[in-house]
């Protein structure tokens, strides 16, 4: 299963490249009013499909055992949805005086506002041997919180960039995000045994729909002659994203390993991944809603599209190192016990 998940993620990254290349070759297919009719098929049907799929796949009934770790959950959610976007905003005030493309900088802010992903943080936590139950809980709970908090954060930090009224945004969020998610959870209650037995390819379905959203988003970009993305800005943004990811992973490690933190080594592993990873599956549809009709939507989306593979790459590379640290720390804890 772990190998299949890894292969799916690799093919998804290839799919992102092909989707952007396809949009570059023939943007007229995916623009508003084009053959794909993205103003209907993407804005409503595709987004609703992703969140209905999330509702079906989220195993919320298995999260009750993790509820008792209140301090751990508070740390992860506050870091993810408060500290991260605030720190990003302060950092971008410094970068605003540089020649980096302003819409890519706004895209970095949207990365900070995103909720945690449903899968990657859990998979990496499990690979290390960390607190998997806490990772599952915070990924699922963070996704639910993100439905409300992420649009509010986007409007707080980038409100002037949105061409859609506040009430219209939340009306569409209700129709395409909240309602499908709730329906998915209700349906899951009745077909849970069948889902556990057949294990439908939820990840592949969401990834396929997401590629369609990415394709139509970039069709809008390449059909607009006024948009120009310089290579310097793109390379700098890539370097910044690597630095942010590593810096925040180190920061969460330092905070969670203090003597009075109260977190176990397994908790620290879940904190490192859940606090710093951001959801592409939930993020792109939300950007599509909040910035509907905005001519620079695709540029705003670029940092999130980069952040997604970076977090998986860095996480995978660091798994052996983090696992070695966790095992040695756990052995040290056992040796210091009086009864050992």
């Amino acid at each position: 299963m772990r190998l299949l998940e890894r292969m799916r993620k690799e093919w998804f990254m290839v799919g992102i490249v092909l989707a952007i290349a396809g949009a570059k070759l023939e943007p007229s297919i995916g623009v508003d009013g084009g053959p794909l009719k993205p103003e209907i098929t993407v804005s409503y049907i595709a987004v609703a499909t992703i969140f209905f799929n999330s509702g079906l796949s989220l195993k919320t009934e298995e999260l009750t055992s993790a509820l008792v770790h209140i301090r751990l959950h508070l740390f992860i959610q506050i870091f993810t949805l408060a500290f991260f976007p605030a720190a990003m905003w302060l950092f971008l005030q410094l970068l605003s005086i540089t020649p980096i493309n302003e819409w890519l900088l706004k895209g970095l802010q949207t990365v900070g506002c995103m909720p945690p992903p449903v899968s990657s943080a859990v998979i990496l936590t499990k690979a290390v041997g960390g607190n998997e139950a806490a990772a599952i809980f915070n990924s699922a709970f963070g996704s639910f919180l993100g439905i409300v908090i992420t649009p509010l954060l986007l409007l707080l930090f980038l409100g002037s960039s949105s061409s859609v009224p506040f009430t219209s945004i939340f009306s569409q969020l209700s129709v395409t995000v909240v309602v499908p998610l709730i329906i998915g959870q209700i349906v899951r209650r009745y077909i849970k045994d069948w889902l556990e037995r057949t294990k439908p390819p939820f990840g592949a379905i969401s990834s396929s729909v997401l590629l369609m959203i990415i394709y139509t988003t970039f069709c809008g970009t390449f059909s607009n002659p006024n948009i120009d993305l310089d290579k310097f800005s793109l390379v700098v943004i890539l370097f910044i994203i690597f630095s942010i990811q590593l810096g925040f992973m180190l920061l969460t490690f330092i905070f969670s390993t203090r003597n009075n933190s109260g977190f176990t080594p397994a908790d620290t592993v879940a904190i490192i991944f859940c606090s710093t990873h951001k959801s592409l599956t939930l993020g792109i549809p939300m950007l599509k809603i909040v910035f509907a009709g905005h001519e620079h939507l695709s540029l705003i989306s670029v940092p999130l599209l980069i952040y997604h593979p970076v977090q998986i790459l860095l996480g995978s590379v660091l798994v052996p190192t983090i696992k070695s640290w966790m095992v040695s720390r756990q052995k040290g804890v056992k040796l210091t016990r009086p009864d050992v």
Side-chain angles (χ1 to χ4, degrees):
M1 286 298 290
R2 200 176 294 173
L3 177 62
L4 288 174
E5 183 68 24
R6 182 176 163 187
M7 289 175 63
R8 183 183 71 79
K9 288 184 180 297
E10 288 174 353
W11 278 110
F12 178 63
M13 291 176 197
V14 173
I16 290 177
V17 174
L18 292 176
I20 295 173
K24 176 68 173 175
L25 289 172
E26 193 53 66
S28 61
I29 295 175
V31 296
D32 286 357
L36 283 181
K37 300 291 182 185
E39 64 274 18
I40 298 171
T41 57
V42 170
S43 296
Y44 291 94
I45 298 173
V47 175
T49 299
I50 283 179
F51 285 95
F52 174 73
N53 195 42
S54 294
L56 275 179
S57 59
L58 280 174
K59 300 180 180 181
T60 48
E61 68 274 5
E62 295 181 1
L63 305 180
T64 51
S65 61
L67 281 171
V68 293
H69 301 97
I70 302 297
R71 190 174 182 182
L72 174 62
H73 307 325
L74 281 174
F75 181 97
I76 291 174
Q77 298 305 326
I78 290 172
F79 191 98
T80 304
L81 295 170
F83 179 83
F84 202 130
M88 190 70 81
W89 182 82
L90 289 172
F91 180 51
L92 292 179
Q93 301 313 299
L94 297 174
L95 291 179
S96 63
I97 61 174
T98 68
I100 301 172
N101 185 291
E102 66 169 308
W103 298 105
L104 289 179
L105 291 181
K106 290 180 186 294
L108 280 176
Q109 183 64 68
T110 68
V111 170
C113 298
M114 292 301 152
V118 176
S119 59
S120 63
V122 175
I123 292 167
L124 290 168
T125 299
K126 185 176 183 178
V128 173
N131 190 336
E132 186 183 356
I136 293 171
F137 178 89
N138 282 283
S139 294
F141 185 58
S143 297
F144 283 119
L145 280 180
I147 291 170
V148 176
I149 295 177
T150 292
L152 288 173
L153 288 172
L154 289 172
L155 290 168
L156 174 65
F157 290 110
L158 301 166
S160 60
S161 298
S162 178
S163 58
V164 183
F166 183 86
T167 52
S168 177
I169 289 170
F170 277 90
S171 174
Q172 190 173 350
L173 279 170
S174 298
V175 172
T176 59
V177 176
V178 179
V179 172
L181 193 73
I182 292 172
I183 292 174
Q185 280 285 284
I186 293 171
V187 172
R188 179 180 173 79
R189 290 173 63 90
Y190 292 98
I191 62 170
K192 184 173 68 173
D193 292 339
W194 179 82
L195 292 172
E196 293 297 324
R197 190 169 60 253
T198 58
K199 299 188 183 302
F202 292 119
I205 294 169
S206 288
S207 295
S208 300
V209 177
L210 191 57
L211 287 175
M212 179 184 174
I213 296 174
I214 292 168
Y215 169 72
T216 56
T217 298
F218 277 87
C219 281
T221 297
F222 296 128
S223 64
N224 187 340
N226 299 320
I227 293 178
D228 181 36
L229 178 59
D230 61 288
K231 293 179 181 177
F232 166 76
S233 293
L234 200 57
V235 171
V236 173
I237 289 295
L238 180 61
F239 174 76
I240 289 171
I241 286 172
F242 266 99
S243 302
I244 288 170
Q245 179 79 184
L246 280 172
F248 279 175
M249 289 180 82
L250 180 61
L251 196 60
T252 54
F253 176 79
I254 292 170
F255 283 162
S256 61
T257 53
R258 293 177 303 167
N259 292 331
N260 60 345
S261 68
F263 299 128
T264 66
D267 292 339
T268 294
V269 173
I271 286 170
I272 289 172
F273 292 124
C274 292
S275 299
T276 59
H277 280 213
K278 295 293 184 177
S279 177
L280 180 70
T281 306
L282 304 181
I284 292 295
M286 284 189 182
L287 290 180
K288 193 80 176 176
I289 294 170
V290 175
F291 296 97
H294 198 284
E295 65 175 349
H296 293 101
L297 171 61
S298 59
L299 292 185
I300 294 172
S301 305
V302 165
L304 185 58
L305 291 172
I306 295 173
Y307 196 94
H308 176 74
V310 167
Q311 68 188 10
I312 294 170
L313 176 63
L314 281 178
S316 301
V317 169
L318 291 172
V319 160
T321 303
I322 297 174
K323 187 170 187 175
S324 176
W325 168 83
M326 188 189 74
V327 171
S328 64
R329 178 61 69 92
Q330 287 174 333
K331 286 180 179 178
V333 170
K334 287 180 181 179
L335 289 173
T336 55
R337 288 179 182 170
D339 55 337
V340 175

